[in-house]
Every structure is written in structure tokens, then in C-alpha cells.
Amino acid sequence: MKKVLLFASGGGSNVKAILRYFQDRPEISFPLIITNNRHAGVIGIAQDNKIDVMLVDKDLFNEEVFIDTLEYFKPDLLVLAGFLWKIPGYMVKAFPNKIINIHPALLPKFGGKGMYGHHVHEAVVVRGESVSGITIHFVNEHYDEGTVLLQKEVALESTDTPEIVAAKVLSLEHTWYARVIDSLLQQA
Ligand code: GAR
């Protein structure tokens, strides 16, 4: 049995795609979804899938005692799926090469603090990029800087709005994130 902890702050479409991909794989379990946002859409997705949700505040998240909760599950992988808080150093140290993130652009472009969700797609459009994409990477102590596991590109039209770019990028995310998770779990 392999265990995956999911972290999400928003609508949770990536979480949904991941759960759908693994729905007929009983050897992969998702015992807990951690969120920092009591209004996150991902809470409804967790309920639909009978997965427990843990709501964290900044104090708890940044305290080393939180590691006891995470270690209780003996996770093989910690997956950030639209989780917008920085992962504290103690967590990176406790789970080396076990925390992964998806970023909605081709890092190192359009990464770093403040670059998340629609901010990324707006910046891509303002810069007139002809290509965007996704980056799936290990998490280290710095925003968006860990080893890259996979990048996929999508072509943009000069008329694409940030909403259109977001939709193109999300479609790539939904296709590729679960596959990368699957491949990492096979190696775990
Ligand atoms: C996704 O596009 C993800 O790449 C992005 O948030 C969105 C979450 O969507 N993450 C970041 O920007 C992290 N820097 P979702 O809640 O529908 O999965």
C-alpha cells in the first residue's frame, strides 16, 4: 500500500483529476487532504471521495510539531496541488525528495513569491509569450526551485486571454500530474 497526502488551497481540480486517475488502484491510498482555506472547493471534493480534511492555520503549519501528524500516515509522497503556502524547511528536511509541486508555467520563468494561479497567466499574457506550460518539481526551501521532474508546453495565440491560457495549462496539469505521481510511487 502506498500513501499520498494531498495539499490544496483552492478549487481542487487537480486533486479531482488525481483521484479519478487512481480510482481503480486500491494499492494507492489518499488518507488526508490538507488545506489552509476553509472555503476551498477541494473540501467538497474530499467529502465526495470520503477523504478526511485537515484545516491548518499558519501557526500549526509552521510549527515542527505538525510533523507528528504527517509522519503518523507514513506517506510515500506529499503532493501540492494548488497549495499556496511556502513549505517550511523542517518539512523539506523530514521528507527529502518526497514533496512535489505543480506550477502553471515553464519554470524558471514566471516563478517565485507571488507567482501563483491567475497572476502567472496574467504575466504570461502581458509578456506576449507564444508558449506556456507546466512544471512538476520536487520542493526545496525556495519557492519553485526544486529539481524539475517534468515540463510540458502548450502553444498560445496572441489573442489568448489569461483565462484561456489558464484553461490550456490546467488541461495539461490534469493529464500529467497523476502520471508523474504514479511513476514516483512505482520507484518509492
Ligand atoms: C493550478 O493551476 C496550479 O498549477 C496552481 O494553482 C492552480 C490550482 O488549481 N498552483 C500554483 O500556482 C502554485 N504556485 P486547482 O485548485 O483547480 O487544482
Side-chain angles (χ1 to χ4, degrees):
M1 175 68 83
K2 297 277 164 72
K3 286 190 197 156
V4 180
L5 299 182
L6 295 166
F7 292 69
S9 302
S13 71
N14 274 286
V15 164
K16 200 172 182 176
I18 291 165
L19 295 175
R20 189 179 308 123
Y21 176 98
F22 287 103
Q23 65 188 351
D24 298 320
R25 299 275 299 278
E27 77 281 15
I28 313 288
S29 82
F30 297 88
L32 185 69
I33 296 178
I34 293 148
T35 187
N36 60 313
N37 175 7
R38 67 175 67 252
H39 305 296
V42 75
I43 294 173
I45 295 170
Q47 285 162 348
D48 292 346
N49 287 276
K50 301 187 172 44
I51 299 173
D52 287 339
V53 176
M54 183 175 186
L55 180 66
V56 286
D57 63 19
K58 263 216 162 111
D59 287 345
L60 175 62
F61 196 65
N62 289 319
E63 276 294 331
E64 204 144 339
V65 291
F66 185 53
I67 210 76
D68 294 344
T69 306
L70 300 176
E71 275 175 348
Y72 167 82
F73 290 97
K74 301 196 184 343
D76 296 280
L77 208 56
L78 291 79
V79 171
L80 313 186
F83 187 72
L84 301 184
W85 281 355
K86 191 167 186 293
I87 297 300
Y90 76 81
M91 226 186 269
V92 177
K93 279 200 195 75
F95 298 104
N97 288 344
K98 281 192 178 179
I99 312 178
I100 63 170
N101 180 44
I102 190 160
H103 187 77
L106 297 168
L107 293 174
K109 281 179 151 182
F110 305 106
K113 199 167 191 306
M115 273 294 173
Y116 60 87
H118 66 97
H119 297 291
V120 174
H121 307 305
E122 278 158 17
V124 164
V125 168
V126 166
R127 283 265 290 275
E129 298 285 314
S130 58
V131 170
S132 191
I134 61 168
T135 304
I136 298 170
H137 63 94
F138 280 125
V139 170
N140 67 13
E141 277 90 348
H142 308 285
Y143 267 119
D144 302 329
E145 284 185 19
T147 306
V148 171
L149 294 160
L150 179 98
Q151 289 193 305
K152 288 283 168 188
E153 294 183 356
V154 64
L156 304 180
E157 307 295 330
S158 59
T159 50
D160 283 354
T161 60
E163 291 71 27
I164 292 173
V165 177
K168 287 181 172 179
V169 168
L170 260 187
S171 162
L172 278 183
E173 297 189 20
H174 297 163
T175 304
W176 288 102
Y177 207 12
R179 292 185 197 186
V180 170
I181 293 166
D182 201 1
S183 132
L184 288 171
L185 289 175
Q186 312 235 357
Q187 296 159 33

